[in-house]
Amino acid sequence: MEEKIKRTRRTAEEARRVILDAAERRLADLGPEGIRLQDIASDVGISHPTILHHFESREGLVLALTERTREQLRQDLFAAFSGPSARDADIHQIMARVFEILSKRGHARLTGWMILSGAISQTPDRGMLRDLTDLIHPKRAEEFRLRGLPVPSREDTLFVVMLGAVTAFGDGLFGPVVRQAAGITDEVKTMEQFRDWFAELLRSRMIPPAQ
Amino acid sequence: MEEKIKRTRRTAEEARRVILDAAERRLADLGPEGIRLQDIASDVGISHPTILHHFESREGLVLALTERTREQLRQDLFAAFSGPSARDADIHQIMARVFEILSKRGHARLTGWMILSGAISQTPDRGMLRDLTDLIHPKRAEEFRLRGLPVPSREDTLFVVMLGAVTAFGDGLFGPVVRQAAGITDEVKTMEQFRDWFAELLRSRMIPPAQ
DNA sequence: CACACTACTATCAAAATTGTAGATAGTCAA
DNA sequence: TTGACTATCTACAATTTTGATAGTAGTGTG
């Protein structure tokens, strides 16, 4: 006697989404070895050939995940910097949000893995930080201009942005190990203190000097 | 007619060394998928069971590599900060050396991979940055004391060290992608400029304010 | 209702990878 | 020289993993 098996049939788009979600979770949690078709499939509750059906190959899955992660990151970052709530938020809040995006959501780890595995170089680059700099620099220049101070170069703003990026990514991936090597006992508390300290450092570079 | 095959027989120590060298190179160059016993073996010019003979298992190899990398990093960093040449080198030269250690030798990439794969948490931690802070902080405090200025807390020095570490690691792994996202064309030149700019930022935090 | 479309499954094939077993050959010490 | 030791090899086994094939079952449209 044969069992009638219930199939849940999703739209192709929905199927791709849940598969990518599962792959993302596995990769962020379990590291480089975590992206096995069978495991991902069983997480979703489907058979592994279904993944191949939607993504052609394992590599196709990886590339799709890379692209989606990049795009999400771009959107999250721009939301943090140009959303309505960012209008009068100070840099502490914004940096807190950036760090949160990169560490809590595991984006730093994901990106690190993608860089190491070479997937990221096969995916289109959209000049995220260039655009971010172009968003920030005019405002910053204006602040200086209003006070009659020498306007900092765009390159200076770019370097501040790059430092923010490198540090936020670096903290997301290397942070825990660095804090351990620093002999820190209260991870969570120190993490927040460090981020605040760093945000203050960035702020003192960004704003015009006190008159 | 049988060919007499020449075997090169190394001491166990030497064999372990060349195997770890090859594994390190593959991992830094090729990423997570680069650590395959057969490939490493053929790089060295041996058969893959020889690797198993020396390291018990693939995992044993990974752990041995993790430990060695950590120890090398520790030694390199301490050499940069307390070696004879570091006596009157300024922070620009020291940071340049730190960045070089982490990027050129691929240590940042290696460490990133080890974190992602979970290997690093199975290896002893020696509080490298804590020790580094204890090496630096007294000197720094003395500089302030001599000038009759309020002495910064050890925590402040620790944060500067942590920022240096996070940024140097972050740059070693994420740097190229960040620079690409920043729309930078001349990678090498910008990299140097950024590092100098960052070293100057660190210096301005570290030294006593101008009288 | 009938039919086309396609998301999905079971099963198989092929390749790669780690690990085992037993034989072989350098090396050193007695 | 002889013998013990062990670094290294060849050959094989077991497992895992990606991918191919062909058929099944929801879903929407004429």
Side-chain angles (χ1 to χ4, degrees), chain B residues 7 9 36-37 48-49 52 58:
Chain B
R7 290 186 189 180
R9 185 192 172 104
R36 249 133 229 186
L37 296 187
H48 87 267
L52 292 170
R58 186 199 124 105

Side-chain angles (χ1 to χ4, degrees), chain A residues 16 20 22-23 36 52 58 61 69 86 88 93 106 109 141 154 161 165 169 172 180 188 200:
Chain A
R16 288 174 62 97
L20 288 175
R36 248 134 229 186
L52 291 171
R58 186 199 125 103
L61 172 67
T69 300
D88 34 36
Q93 293 170 281
R109 290 172 65 91
R154 180 181 178 282
V161 168
F169 274 106
Q180 195 187 6
V188 179
E200 180 55 32

Side-chain angles (χ1 to χ4, degrees), chain B residues 16-32:
Chain B
R16 287 173 63 98
R17 223 205 63 221
V18 295
I19 292 169
L20 287 175
D21 286 346
E24 181 177 308
R25 234 175 300 125
R26 275 200 107 78
L27 209 49
D29 293 351
L30 275 49

Side-chain angles (χ1 to χ4, degrees), chain A residues 177 180, chain B residues 63 66 70 111 113-125:
Chain A
V177 168
Q180 195 187 6
Chain B
L63 289 182
T66 306
R70 236 190 192 165
T111 305
W113 178 82
M114 286 162 186
I115 290 172
L116 287 173
S117 69
I120 215 164
S121 62
Q122 294 174 50
T123 245
D125 170 59

Side-chain angles (χ1 to χ4, degrees), chain A residues 2-56:
Chain A
E2 307 273 315
E3 278 283 338
K4 265 280 163 60
I5 295 139
K6 255 263 197 71
R7 291 186 189 180
T8 44
R9 184 192 174 103
R10 288 167 251 250
T11 65
E13 189 190 20
E14 175 72 3
R16 288 174 62 97
R17 223 204 62 222
V18 295
I19 292 169
L20 288 175
D21 285 347
E24 181 177 307
R25 233 175 300 124
R26 274 200 170 270
L27 210 48
D29 295 350
L30 275 49
E33 339 274 300
I35 194 163
R36 248 134 229 186
L37 296 187
Q38 303 237 39
D39 300 338
I40 296 169
S42 85
D43 282 359
V44 180
I46 58 177
S47 67
H48 87 268
T50 300
I51 298 179
L52 291 171
H53 169 72
H54 286 290
F55 295 95
E56 306 288 314

